Amino acid sequence: MNNFAILLGRAGLALIFILSGVSKIAGYAGTQQYMEAMGVPGALLPLVILVELGGGLAILGGFATRWAALALAGFTVVAAVLFHANLGDQGQFINFMKNIAIAGGFLALAAQGAGSFSIDGWLQARRARA
């Protein structure tokens, strides 16, 4: 049950980042303009896409999970501060708190690890047999 729950949790956390990375590729120019309007250099967009898409896929597959989870936790907190810091706006407050909750999920995943249903689990079992 524990490994299955971790798998579902990884999928839930990963999905939002995978879809977000893909949508940033599809709407590259608009995303770049939005970033610049928020005071973030648009030149960072390729790095943002790499973190979201690459990190999301790593979490989904359970590969280098602890490191990917820590990176995405940090990324999510930074995104909350940069893009949702107007806490007087209820919508921004909700998005800020959503990001903090997601970061918390990533920190729990970093502490727990990916579980058996993962590339990390497969590699660990393989090393144990060797």
Side-chain angles (χ1 to χ4, degrees):
M1 181 71 165
N2 188 37
N3 287 310
F4 186 67
I6 294 170
L7 173 63
L8 291 178
R10 285 194 346 253
L13 285 167
L15 186 60
I16 192 169
F17 288 89
I18 293 168
L19 293 176
S20 184
V22 169
S23 74
K24 284 176 176 62
I25 293 169
Y28 194 93
T31 302
Q32 193 172 36
Q33 288 174 346
Y34 175 71
M35 287 174 64
E36 290 170 354
M38 298 300 290
V40 178
L44 292 177
L45 184 53
L47 179 60
V48 169
I49 292 169
L50 177 66
V51 169
E52 288 185 343
L53 195 53
L57 290 170
I59 294 294
L60 182 63
F63 177 71
T65 305
R66 292 178 193 264
W67 290 109
L70 287 173
L72 284 170
F75 174 85
T76 304
V77 170
V78 169
V81 170
L82 291 175
F83 296 101
H84 305 298
N86 181 7
L87 302 181
D89 176 326
Q90 186 175 4
Q92 291 302 313
F93 178 76
I94 290 168
N95 281 319
F96 183 90
M97 294 308 295
K98 169 200 54 104
N99 278 30
I100 298 304
I102 290 169
F106 278 127
L107 291 175
L109 184 59
Q112 172 67 36
S116 295
F117 304 142
S118 65
I119 295 170
D120 290 346
W122 177 79
L123 290 172
Q124 185 178 8
R126 188 172 172 213
R127 281 190 294 265
R129 286 191 304 265

